[in-house]
Amino acid sequence: MKKITCIIRPSKLEAVKERLGREGIQGMTVTHVTGCGLQKGSTAIYRGNLYEVNLLPKVKLELVVTAEKVDTLIDTIVAEAATGEIGDGKIFISPVDEVVRIRTGERGKEAI
């Protein structure tokens, strides 16, 4: 099993969620986060004062899937989340040793 963590633009969340649903993904965790990377942020004017905005709003998606689905899901996420501009985000893949469904006690693939 693998954990896929994606950092994407907030405007791409609905498209990615919809497409993952069509790929059979039933569960995910979505967190609204802020961060910075190559995009570096921007400058803005507020009440006549110039200030730097270097932490930008992003969305973090977390999914746990079987290892066989990882490549397909990565391709799906990239296809839906990419704009071709700096700031599209990143995908991280981590191993998951065990999954346990609290309600039933199921373990492994059955718990996903």
Side-chain angles (χ1 to χ4, degrees), residues 4-71:
I4 300 174
T5 303
C6 312
I7 309 294
I8 62 172
R9 296 176 186 269
S11 61
K12 294 295 187 171
L13 174 60
E14 288 305 317
V16 171
K17 263 185 9 183
E18 182 181 316
R19 183 80 182 273
L20 288 173
R22 288 196 308 251
E23 294 291 333
I25 299 302
Q26 297 174 342
M28 68 183 75
T29 301
V30 177
T31 310
H32 294 276
V33 297
T34 59
C36 63
L38 291 177
Q39 199 172 3
K40 302 286 188 216
S42 62
T43 55
I45 297 176
Y46 180 71
R47 294 188 175 179
N49 295 320
L50 188 65
Y51 68 97
E52 186 98 9
V53 178
N54 56 8
L55 294 176
L56 301 170
K58 298 292 179 180
V59 172
K60 179 167 74 170
L61 296 174
E62 296 174 294
L63 326 158
V64 176
V65 298
T66 58
E68 303 85 52
K69 290 186 175 186
V70 170
D71 289 334

